[in-house]
Amino acid sequence: MSDANERRKFLKGLGLAAVSLGIGAVAEPPSVEAQAQPAAPPAMPAMPAATPTGASPYTYVFFNSTESAFVEAAVARLIPKDDLGPGALEAGVAYYIDGQLAGWYGEAGRWYWQGPWQQGTPQQGYQLPLKPSEVYRAAIPLVNDYTQKQFKADFADLSAAQQDTVLSGLEKGEIDLGRLPARTFFAFLLQNTKEGFFADPTYGGNAQMVGWKLIGYPGVQPGYSQIIEQYTTPFPLTYASIGSYTEDNPR
Amino acid sequence: MAKKLPAVDAVMVGVGWTGGILAAELTRAGVSVVGLERGPFRDSNIEFAFPHIRDELKYGIRFGLAQDVSRDTLTFRNAAEQTALPMRQLGSFLLGSGTGGAGAHWNGQTWRWTPYDFEILSQTRARYGQGAIDEDMQIQDWGVTYQQLEPFYDKFERTAGIGGKAGNLQGKIQPGGNPFEGARASEYPNPPMKRSQLGDLFQTATQGMGYHPFPGPSANMTQPYTNPDGQALGACMYCGHCERFGCDYNAKASPNNTVLPTALATGKFEVRHNANVVRVNMDSSGKRAVSVTYIDLLTGEEIEQPADMIFLTSFTFGNVKLLLVSKIGEVYDPVTNKGTVGRNYTYQLSAGAGGTLDDKDLKVFAGAGAESVVIDDFNGDHFDHTGLGFLHGGSISASSAGARPIQSNPGGAAWGSAWKRAAAQAYNHAVGIGAQVSSLPFRSNHLDLDPTYRDAYGLPLVRMTFDYRGNESKRSQYLTAITTKILTAMGAKNVVGRGLPEHYSIVPYQSTHNQGGAIMGMDPSTSVVNPYMQHHQVSNLFVVGASSFPHNSGFNPTGTVGAMTYRLADALIKRYLKNPGFLT
């Protein structure tokens, strides 16, 4: 069984409480550690599943079970858990994407949405009559059809190496998804994965601010006027999110 | 039938910097003003409060403060033989909407343009001859000089509390400032910003190369400041959330904390939000604007607001669109080169270089929208263009505006463990030097109305036809080579130049410096408004803002927008109100 698959089953069995445990055990990435004071205990992300009791696992509101299995597997490969720390799966990025697609972003809220629809040049931007939520809904079964033909399994049940091959094929447009451009779907998936990894934890991803800790972005700080000119003094990286101020740890 | 309201003295279509400045000045002169703003009301004390305003996803990625393009956008094509298609989501530029317009979420870089900019045609001819000007390049003198504009630059800088260092005080070159700038009557009202390590390295490197670095002028307050109108602003905390965000320290000058409260305090200014103007109505002579019609977006009702003076103070596209849909003036035709409305659309171009400074702790999360060190040696006509094959240039800067994690999207490879490693390594060590490059007008670049696509109110969308023309690639290569040299001198590794792509694209963010389409000039056959931004044929109609700029400089436009607007306000109060008619 693949590493990604194991993680997925593990998370499904235990609920998101497992995510917090996993993250706690991970060392800071070297680039952060080099300049960081010992970090203050991170605030808990403001999502239901990550309450201190860990009693309520996340419930998908947009994705069905096939879709959530796909997205969990895909984000785990796009930003994998490795020696640098948790990846997108552990950061809750699948939950982030679910929430985004269930909301106004998924419905192309505030996008111009009148026809006629016509394919343009790359310089003219996105011109498909598919909302972000519809791109995922249309693409995931097509990718699974492809992997069933190639590997006799859904994408989520492939080995990590096979998943990487498929993702790479989507990225390069080498996998034919029929009327849906594979590159378009991949671009949504990758963009949303990185958003979820680096957005404020309020949105369900970047749990425990793991994305910020990876790169050394301190998050939501009042200001830096005292340090902007201190070129050689390291800034104490006491990470904070929006929720750090409004819920868990008012300062 | 539209509901017709009682007349007011003046109406502003759009409540950003231009509408706000005019409202403040006119109401204090006793004029009653109504501002019609299609966006929502925003109380900046609530909407911009810490910590919620520091939400990169909401504001930086989903553009929470920008225009709702589901209601009104534009269509775009590179060339006339293509079919223009709608800009379905924001990308290349972030149009403003709501109280303060784009002035609520700008970076605060506030420039005076060079004296050359206002007399670009005559100075180019004098120095290089007519042969240096491409056949399709439509540069022209503006009909206003830097010297005429100087007092109004000064006025805007005081209103907005600009921090900086003068380089040319009354003709005397000052150490530490920009020696290429036009003469200033007085020093900036506030000192320059603190300098980041990146800026410091740039300062040292460019000085060593014989260039003239200086701190970029900033509307991010460098100390607590009370402006001449009595509006108090706080000091910048270098939080790294300016562009795309409101300021929770009230430290970034915007219409919201300067001119709008000044106007409202007079009791003669009323702002109606959610009011989308769809037409300027003319009298039967066609020489006088009598009212504007707007849709109340809360009720759907059509309302007519009569006014003695009508000011189009929307963004560039809004101003041009209202002229076009109201059929005021002749539409520009690039084939015959006749007509004026839509002519000389320009944008802000760029060049630059990126690399890494692996041994420095750059603290890239810290910064301010206008924190920068700049050289102006390669802007305007500050260097000899003989034999270079292009005109104008750009300002080159090292800017520390704050690298937010989604937007800065660190790392090289696109995904996987390799990307993750690169992201972790790159975030605090990736550096860029940017050139903000001028955009000169070409015959084929223009705005008109789209034949197919319509806005939420049934009006045609503005259609943009724009691509890089003539010698812009040579200019881009030239400036890219200089930025590459500077970055290397700063000790950066893996230095790569970033010039212009072959074609302009509406997709990646570049700048919200869209200009032209209703340009100023002395000749009504090639311009829409006179140098007071007063319509050539309709003396009580004013088309205000960067839509009136005949070309685009190597600097951000807001300082010049502010100065031009103060100059108009001054002429209105001193002359027009007493004797309405054409301003000369």
Side-chain angles (χ1 to χ4, degrees):
Chain A
M1 193 188 273
S2 77
D3 192 38
N5 208 17
E6 274 177 34
R7 265 205 307 279
R8 182 165 63 85
K9 298 244 162 88
F10 176 69
L11 287 174
K12 279 204 166 153
L14 296 182
L16 190 64
V19 173
S20 316
L21 291 175
I23 288 157
V26 170
E28 295 280 37
S31 68
V32 172
E33 204 154 45
Q35 55 182 297
Q37 305 293 321
M44 301 300 288
M47 52 191 288
T51 51
T53 60
S56 53
Y58 184 83
T59 304
Y60 284 99
V61 291
F62 175 77
F63 290 132
N64 62 37
S65 56
T66 304
E67 292 164 342
S68 62
F70 175 92
V71 171
E72 287 180 4
V75 303
R77 295 313 307 155
L78 293 174
I79 306 179
K81 178 183 176 189
D82 58 16
D83 59 325
L84 289 178
L89 180 70
E90 296 75 23
V93 166
Y95 310 146
Y96 161 84
I97 296 176
D98 185 66
Q100 289 295 302
L101 296 183
W104 62 269
Y105 167 76
E107 286 300 301
R110 303 182 84 216
W111 291 13
Y112 182 79
W113 209 250
Q114 294 183 39
W117 299 88
Q118 182 178 336
Q119 198 179 340
T121 66
Q123 287 77 20
Q124 289 175 306
Y126 186 72
Q127 296 292 340
L128 286 180
L130 289 174
K131 299 167 179 178
S133 58
E134 293 170 335
V135 169
Y136 280 82
R137 189 129 285 163
I140 290 170
L142 295 170
V143 178
N144 279 335
D145 283 352
Y146 170 82
T147 59
Q148 283 290 347
K149 282 192 194 112
Q150 289 291 314
F151 306 104
K152 308 230 178 318
D154 275 3
F155 177 85
D157 297 320
L158 302 181
S159 71
Q162 288 169 327
Q163 288 172 339
D164 284 356
T165 304
V166 173
L167 288 169
S168 181
L170 294 170
E171 180 185 28
K172 294 176 184 146
E174 291 165 358
I175 292 175
D176 185 3
L177 299 186
R179 286 137 63 212
L180 186 73
R183 283 175 166 168
T184 300
F185 172 53
F186 183 84
F188 272 101
L189 189 61
L190 182 61
Q191 167 68 20
N192 295 151
T193 299
K194 288 183 180 175
E195 283 170 8
F197 198 62
F198 289 128
D200 194 277
T202 297
Y203 292 96
N206 194 11
Q208 311 288 1
M209 302 178 277
V210 292
W212 294 349
K213 289 173 186 171
L214 173 73
I215 62 174
Y217 176 73
V220 181
Q221 306 291 329
Y224 304 109
S225 60
Q226 299 311 308
I227 63 118
I228 184 119
E229 291 179 309
Q230 293 173 8
Y231 303 156
T232 53
T233 312
F235 176 69
L237 284 163
T238 49
Y239 296 89
S241 65
I242 290 172
S244 307
Y245 298 89
T246 51
E247 290 168 22
D248 311 301
N249 186 20
R251 299 180 187 196
Chain B
M1 236 3 231
K3 177 165 98 184
K4 191 166 181 175
L5 299 177
V8 293
D9 295 336
V11 66
M12 303 293 153
V13 181
V15 182
W17 271 120
T18 56
I21 288 171
L22 289 164
E25 297 303 294
L26 290 175
T27 52
R28 286 193 295 194
V31 176
S32 67
V33 178
V34 163
L36 299 173
E37 169 57 51
R38 63 176 162 183
F41 170 67
R42 285 195 200 98
D43 180 340
S44 40
N45 289 321
I46 296 165
E47 303 272 339
F48 301 165
F50 184 86
H52 292 95
I53 193 65
R54 309 286 187 83
D55 182 338
E56 187 191 10
L57 184 71
K58 181 175 181 180
Y59 298 106
I61 305 300
R62 305 276 187 255
F63 312 132
L65 294 177
Q67 179 177 315
D68 178 355
V69 294
S70 74
R71 291 171 181 264
D72 189 14
T73 182
L74 43 89
T75 64
F76 161 72
R77 57 184 180 178
N78 281 121
E81 53 272 19
Q82 296 175 341
T83 302
L85 296 179
M87 179 177 76
R88 296 194 176 275
Q89 50 187 319
L90 289 167
S92 179
F93 37 85
L94 299 180
L95 308 168
S97 178
T99 318
H105 54 87
W106 67 317
N107 258 333
Q109 299 173 15
T110 313
W111 291 94
R112 295 178 174 210
W113 286 12
T114 71
Y116 161 82
D117 277 310
F118 304 101
E119 300 168 277
I120 185 169
L121 179 60
S122 49
Q123 289 201 20
T124 300
R125 277 181 181 154
R127 189 169 176 185
Y128 306 105
Q130 177 70 29
I133 302 167
D134 279 9
E135 201 184 326
D136 288 341
M137 186 192 285
Q138 302 184 145
I139 52 172
Q140 64 188 67
D141 291 353
W142 291 32
V144 53
T145 64
Y146 172 82
Q147 288 73 20
Q148 289 168 327
L149 210 46
E150 201 283 334
F152 305 104
Y153 270 127
D154 188 77
K155 176 135 179 156
F156 183 66
E157 287 168 359
R158 278 165 211 290
T159 302
I162 305 306
K165 176 78 192 81
N168 181 345
L169 263 184
Q170 296 160 18
K172 288 198 184 113
I173 300 302
Q174 307 293 309
N178 176 10
F180 299 101
E181 73 176 352
R184 308 167 53 92
S186 51
E187 186 49 276
Y188 285 96
N190 280 315
M193 299 208 85
K194 297 178 181 185
R195 193 191 296 151
S196 72
Q197 181 170 209
L198 176 66
D200 205 48
L201 292 165
F202 180 85
Q203 171 98 15
T204 306
T206 52
Q207 222 148 24
M209 297 164 87
Y211 306 145
H212 301 84
F214 61 95
S218 168
N220 318 136
M221 292 310 104
T222 54
Q223 59 188 6
Y225 177 70
T226 300
N227 81 6
D229 300 330
Q231 305 300 339
L233 285 83
C236 175
M237 299 296 284
Y238 299 82
C239 79
H241 289 72
C242 283
E243 186 172 68
R244 309 184 183 199
F245 301 84
C247 180
D248 48 294
Y249 286 100
N250 190 34
K252 178 172 70 177
S254 70
N256 312 49
N257 57 15
T258 57
V259 290
L260 293 178
T262 298
L264 288 166
T266 64
K268 296 191 76 72
F269 182 46
E270 179 198 349
V271 186
R272 291 181 207 144
H273 287 86
N274 306 296
N276 190 93
V277 176
V278 291
R279 190 166 61 249
V280 178
N281 302 299
M282 307 289 290
D283 74 1
S284 55
S285 76
K287 302 233 159 115
R288 187 172 171 77
V290 292
S291 64
V292 296
T293 300
Y294 67 93
I295 312 280
D296 180 335
L297 301 185
L298 302 187
T299 65
E301 203 174 4
E302 197 172 276
I303 297 172
E304 182 180 355
Q305 174 63 64
D308 289 338
M309 292 178 280
I310 291 172
F311 296 87
L312 306 187
T313 49
S314 178
F315 195 69
T316 293
F317 302 117
N319 284 357
V320 174
K321 177 172 183 165
L322 276 172
L323 292 174
L324 289 168
V325 299
S326 308
K327 301 187 176 6
I328 300 172
E330 192 183 345
V331 180
Y332 172 69
D333 180 347
V335 178
T336 62
N337 209 11
K338 298 233 162 35
T340 56
V341 187
R343 193 176 193 270
N344 281 31
Y345 170 74
T346 58
Y347 191 45
Q348 189 97 58
L349 308 186
S350 66
T356 59
L357 283 166
D358 295 328
D359 59 342
K360 297 282 193 297
D361 173 16
L362 293 172
K363 302 186 186 73
V364 292
F365 42 80
E371 202 289 332
S372 62
V373 179
V374 187
I375 60 166
D376 207 25
D377 300 60
F378 300 97
N379 197 5
D381 199 26
H382 302 154
F383 59 111
D384 189 353
H385 287 69
T386 307
L388 294 179
F390 64 86
L391 297 177
H392 216 301
S395 54
I396 295 173
S397 63
S399 172
S400 299
R404 298 175 294 272
I406 307 173
Q407 262 182 273
S408 61
N409 196 2
W415 54 277
S417 265
W419 170 81
K420 198 176 166 192
R421 188 162 300 280
Q425 170 61 29
Y427 174 70
N428 198 41
H429 301 287
V431 290
I433 302 299
Q436 179 153 241
V437 184
S438 64
S439 167
L440 300 180
F442 289 87
R443 181 164 168 169
S444 47
N445 289 339
H446 70 289
L447 305 175
D448 61 1
L449 289 177
D450 192 272
T452 307
Y453 293 97
R454 302 198 163 247
D455 69 14
Y457 319 102
L459 300 174
L461 300 183
V462 168
R463 175 171 65 179
M464 175 199 293
T465 306
F466 183 77
D467 208 348
Y468 308 133
R469 310 280 178 194
N471 52 23
E472 284 149 304
S473 63
K474 280 184 198 160
R475 185 175 50 203
S476 173
Q477 279 167 17
Y478 185 83
L479 291 167
T480 298
I482 293 163
T483 55
T484 304
K485 216 164 61 177
I486 294 171
L487 201 51
T488 305
M490 286 165 64
K493 302 280 185 270
N494 313 308
V495 175
V496 180
R498 294 187 292 235
L500 284 180
E502 188 182 353
H503 295 291
Y504 167 70
S505 167
I506 202 89
V507 179
Y509 183 77
Q510 289 150 73
S511 85
T512 307
H513 305 166
N514 313 76
Q515 306 184 172
I519 65 168
M520 69 172 75
M522 303 299 281
D523 180 355
S525 75
T526 54
S527 57
V528 172
V529 295
N530 69 24
Y532 290 95
M533 300 183 288
Q534 180 181 34
H535 197 278
H536 276 305
Q537 285 82 38
V538 187
S539 65
N540 70 331
L541 176 65
F542 300 85
V543 189
V544 187
S547 56
S548 70
F549 293 1
H551 74 269
N552 200 326
S553 183
F555 283 140
N556 310 58
T558 306
T560 302
V561 167
M564 287 285 181
T565 308
Y566 271 118
R567 180 168 180 264
L568 167 60
D570 182 73
L572 290 169
I573 291 160
K574 287 187 179 149
R575 294 187 274 146
Y576 183 92
L577 291 178
K578 292 170 194 146
N579 183 21
F582 288 103
L583 293 162
T584 50

